[in-house]
Amino acid sequence: MPSHWHYCSISLLFTLCAAGTLNRTIDDTLGDEITGLKPTYSPDGVWNLGPACAKCTISKFVDTTQARRGSWHDATYGPAEESDINITASFNGTAVYVFNLIPNYSTSTATHLTSLSFYVDGNYGGQYNHTPQYTSDSTPNILYQVPVYANSNLTSAEHTIRISASGSLPSVVLFDYILYT
């Protein structure tokens, strides 16, 4: 017959495991693996499901096996656009991390800069800028699962993150997923 200490040990182990933090994912297409909520993309008409976009020149160079669940959402922002392009998602946690695919090349006809701003609960949280390192008209270079934003100082509560391309710099956005704890 197990002793009282045996039950206490199992109870303590269960409590410690239950109190541990868990990572959750918000996929670009499937949404939150727990709540089912999907990110929203605005404005309408500028976002494309990467693997299905025939007009997106970058899509043909992306290795879909390197993107989470084989998909990403993309849009291109130009300073002459009438409005910012945004991704918005809600989560309940204490930390959030955003991952994108990053074009790391420019061609003679296009520069693939990435310039993103991040807002958590309406407050500015930071900036990510990437200027391509390679110039090539024949071998595009894509970086996968790039952490473009990290914030591990949130209170344990419901939060909303907005990822935005705006301002004076053009930006190619290839959004893959959000991880939160």
Side-chain angles (χ1 to χ4, degrees):
M1 180 156 140
S3 71
H4 171 72
W5 293 110
H6 177 78
Y7 286 120
C8 287
S9 297
I10 290 174
S11 176
L12 178 61
L13 179 62
F14 178 78
T15 301
L16 290 173
C17 291
T21 58
L22 296 173
N23 290 331
R24 310 277 191 208
T25 304
I26 302 172
D27 184 68
D28 73 291
T29 303
L30 301 176
D32 190 307
E33 64 188 1
I34 300 301
T35 67
L37 293 174
K38 295 182 180 181
T40 58
Y41 300 94
S42 64
D44 291 335
V46 300
W47 287 95
N48 302 288
L49 177 59
C53 184
K55 68 179 181 177
C56 304
T57 57
I58 289 179
S59 293
K60 63 184 172 187
F61 301 112
V62 174
D63 177 355
T64 58
T65 66
Q66 297 289 326
R68 181 170 174 75
R69 299 191 180 236
S71 70
W72 66 94
H73 270 73
D74 67 40
T76 301
Y77 168 81
E81 302 295 327
E82 291 182 15
S83 63
D84 304 348
I85 59 173
N86 298 290
I87 305 158
T88 306
S90 295
F91 64 95
N92 192 329
T94 59
V96 64
Y97 309 90
V98 178
F99 295 84
N100 281 29
L101 285 66
I102 302 293
N104 196 30
Y105 69 98
S106 60
T107 65
S108 58
T109 58
T111 299
H112 302 294
L113 302 172
T114 300
S115 180
L116 301 170
S117 298
F118 301 88
Y119 301 85
V120 177
D121 301 329
N123 299 310
Y124 178 74
Q127 185 78 27
Y128 176 86
N129 291 302
H130 178 82
T131 302
Q133 297 173 338
Y134 300 102
T135 301
S136 172
D137 285 333
S138 59
T139 312
N141 181 295
I142 306 290
L143 304 175
Y144 298 93
Q145 297 187 17
V146 176
V148 295
Y149 180 71
N151 185 338
S152 59
N153 295 315
L154 301 174
T155 58
S156 182
E158 183 76 22
H159 299 284
T160 299
I161 185 167
R162 180 171 55 95
I163 305 156
S164 182
S166 62
S168 62
L169 293 175
S171 187
V172 174
V173 182
L174 304 174
F175 169 66
D176 198 2
Y177 65 97
I178 295 170
L179 186 69
Y180 68 93
T181 300

